[in-house]
Amino acid sequence: MRVLIYFFIVVNCIFAFPGSDYKEPAAVKKFFPSTPLVVATPSIAPGRTSFTTQREMLDYLGAIHKNGSSSVVNLLGPTKNGNYIPIFVLSRNKNLTFKNPRNGKPTIMLIGQQHGDEPMSSDILMGSIKRVSQGSMNYLLDKINIVIMPRINPDGAANFTRVSGEKMDINDDHQNNYTVEASSVRMMYDLFLPEVFVDLHESIADMESYSGILEDGALPYFDIFTLYPTNPNYPKNLRNVAMKTTENLIRDLKAMGYTGDYYYNPFIKPKNNEPLTLYRATSDKGLARNAYGLLGSLSYLIETRGRGIGFENVGRRLNSGLEAVKFFLEDTYHNSDEIKVLINRDIEIPKDNKKLNLVNERIELPLINIKKGSIENTPAILIKQSN
């Protein structure tokens, strides 16, 4: 009997992951209806018990590279656990390479899965590579270059952990670059000097994390959260453009049948008659969104709904992320000339001369009331950077 119990414990440790058995309440499903598949990735195959593995990712990307005419690829690393970090460089006629990192066009760089327990960010970028290399979005390469690192944290992905093989949060390390993973991102950034930088994550979406906010139980309502750099030293001209761009993303998501809002983290649950409190003002220079903004890029965050909910709504999560990525790619394409003028690498951005000024704003945050199956506008205090 002890051997049998031990066997089940080992099997569970190998195959289960936090949220793997999560089931969406029936009253909630109507807010996240299925949408037509945009492009297939391994994670959304029927009957999956794990997200895309390292081998599946490399095979998927290898097939795209082999059958395309626009890509140059490389593997960076190894990581502590002996894994490698793939990078895909997309340009017309492969005229952007590791030996020739400039061709006069603006470059957009996207990274995903800094946190191993946010796997769909990798699938979204894998699917985006396929759409550009082999699909209807190849026209983008007429005006822009695209650099994609779909899985920054392969060690964490293998173990479904937030941290790297060195037990470090990579997204806290983009100032010091102690980790192989963060150093790899910085090395590629310095090589290609992208005018636009996009970091993909998954946001908390499970019932336990939002417990105690509403009497009937609560869940977040939005498919996509987005944000721009919130460090006070981020240049105002770049910040104004980034703010307008994220505003346009939220508008366009709504037109496509998805929901979007500005990212908040952390949040403090109501207590002692104090309302829900949200923070949208992380100024930490170590976060990729802030770090690469301070190096002179238009910098953005995409957070898709997903952490803690296993495979629930996985197709919609993939599709909404693909559309958010497509938005930033097309925005760079349509504004390529303006972006080239806007980004001035000759001006050094001071990194410590401004203090973060915070303001409190009373808002109503839409949350899903689980029991009622309705949207409840919940009083909250939003702490954010002053404009």
Side-chain angles (χ1 to χ4, degrees):
M1 176 61 80
R2 287 182 180 178
V3 173
L4 186 60
I5 292 173
Y6 177 75
F7 172 77
F8 280 117
I9 290 173
V10 170
V11 169
N12 185 60
C13 289
I14 293 173
F15 294 106
F17 56 87
S20 61
D21 58 350
Y22 181 89
K23 298 300 179 186
E24 202 87 88
V28 174
K29 288 184 180 293
K30 65 182 179 182
F31 296 105
F32 305 103
S34 297
T35 52
L37 182 63
V38 176
V39 63
T41 62
S43 287
I44 65 166
R48 293 284 302 199
T49 58
S50 66
F51 289 94
T52 301
T53 66
Q54 184 77 355
R55 172 47 54 195
E56 287 173 327
M57 176 188 65
L58 294 177
D59 288 347
Y60 186 96
L61 296 177
I64 295 172
H65 176 61
K66 181 180 179 181
N67 296 319
S69 60
S70 307
S71 60
V72 177
V73 301
N74 205 344
L75 293 172
L76 308 176
T79 63
K80 185 179 188 323
N81 294 344
N83 290 305
Y84 288 85
I85 303 164
I87 178 168
F88 229 85
V89 179
L90 293 157
S91 63
R92 179 65 68 223
N93 299 320
K94 301 183 183 181
N95 62 9
L96 192 78
T97 68
F98 298 97
K99 292 183 178 180
N100 180 39
R102 309 279 185 280
N103 61 6
K105 299 176 184 178
T107 297
I108 177 171
M109 178 175 178
L110 304 97
I111 68 171
Q113 207 172 358
Q114 291 199 70
H115 298 135
D117 58 352
E118 299 173 9
M120 288 309 294
S121 59
S122 177
D123 276 63
I124 289 163
L125 289 180
M126 289 163 57
S128 297
I129 290 170
K130 190 167 189 176
R131 296 180 84 185
V132 174
S133 183
Q134 300 178 350
S136 61
M137 291 168 57
N138 189 262
Y139 76 92
L140 295 171
L141 301 180
D142 291 340
K143 289 187 177 182
I144 66 173
N145 311 304
I146 303 169
V147 175
I148 297 182
M149 301 175 72
R151 177 172 285 170
I152 301 301
N153 186 2
D155 292 355
N159 297 315
F160 208 81
T161 58
R162 182 175 180 84
V163 295
S164 69
E166 297 173 294
K167 311 302 181 188
M168 291 187 67
D169 189 327
I170 298 166
N171 200 32
D172 290 335
D173 190 37
H174 293 285
Q175 185 71 16
N176 298 314
N177 299 304
Y178 292 135
T179 61
V180 171
E181 296 86 351
S183 296
S184 297
V185 176
R186 179 59 186 270
M187 180 171 61
M188 292 299 99
Y189 180 92
D190 288 346
L191 179 64
F192 292 106
L193 290 178
E195 284 79 4
V196 182
F197 180 89
V198 184
D199 182 19
L200 274 73
H201 292 262
E202 289 187 76
S203 62
I204 297 170
D206 63 288
M207 290 184 289
E208 183 178 352
S209 297
Y210 278 79
S211 64
I213 297 177
L214 298 179
E215 184 177 344
D216 293 331
L219 280 173
Y221 169 57
F222 297 104
D223 290 296
I224 298 284
F225 289 107
T226 187
L227 201 57
Y228 41 82
T230 47
N231 185 283
N233 293 290
Y234 191 50
K236 189 173 182 180
N237 64 328
L238 298 184
R239 185 168 182 263
N240 288 341
V241 172
M243 289 176 68
K244 183 62 178 177
T245 302
T246 52
E247 178 184 328
N248 291 341
L249 169 61
I250 293 169
R251 177 203 64 200
D252 285 8
L253 285 170
K254 184 177 181 180
M256 290 184 284
Y258 298 109
T259 53
D261 200 4
Y262 296 103
Y263 181 63
Y264 56 82
N265 185 50
F267 59 91
I268 299 175
K269 298 176 183 181
K271 187 177 181 180
N272 300 327
N273 295 320
E274 290 292 327
L276 175 67
T277 302
L278 316 175
Y279 289 84
R280 191 190 295 154
T282 303
S283 62
D284 187 350
K285 297 189 296 293
L287 296 178
R289 166 175 51 90
N290 288 329
Y292 291 108
L294 290 173
L295 287 173
S297 294
L298 289 169
S299 184
Y300 302 101
L301 173 71
I302 296 174
E303 292 260 355
T304 60
R305 179 175 179 269
R307 273 181 61 196
I309 62 172
F311 288 97
E312 287 293 290
N313 316 120
V314 70
R316 182 182 175 94
R317 287 153 54 190
L318 174 64
N319 287 343
S320 63
L322 287 168
E323 292 305 324
V325 167
K326 180 182 178 183
F327 171 87
F328 283 115
L329 295 177
E330 290 185 334
D331 183 80
T332 306
Y333 172 88
H334 290 301
N335 298 290
S336 58
D337 292 338
E338 293 85 349
I339 289 172
K340 287 290 290 184
V341 172
L342 178 68
I343 304 302
N344 188 345
R345 298 290 182 183
D346 296 328
I347 299 176
E348 184 175 352
I349 300 172
K351 299 189 174 50
D352 295 301
N353 69 337
K354 292 182 182 178
K355 290 181 63 177
L356 181 65
N357 295 317
L358 302 178
V359 294
N360 293 3
E361 180 182 343
R362 291 191 174 272
I363 66 167
E364 289 190 333
L365 177 69
L367 292 173
I368 299 172
N369 184 308
I370 295 174
K371 185 176 181 180
K372 295 179 180 177
S374 61
I375 301 299
E376 187 163 325
N377 290 321
T378 307
I381 294 175
L382 175 64
I383 299 176
K384 65 177 185 176
Q385 180 183 10
S386 61
N387 293 329

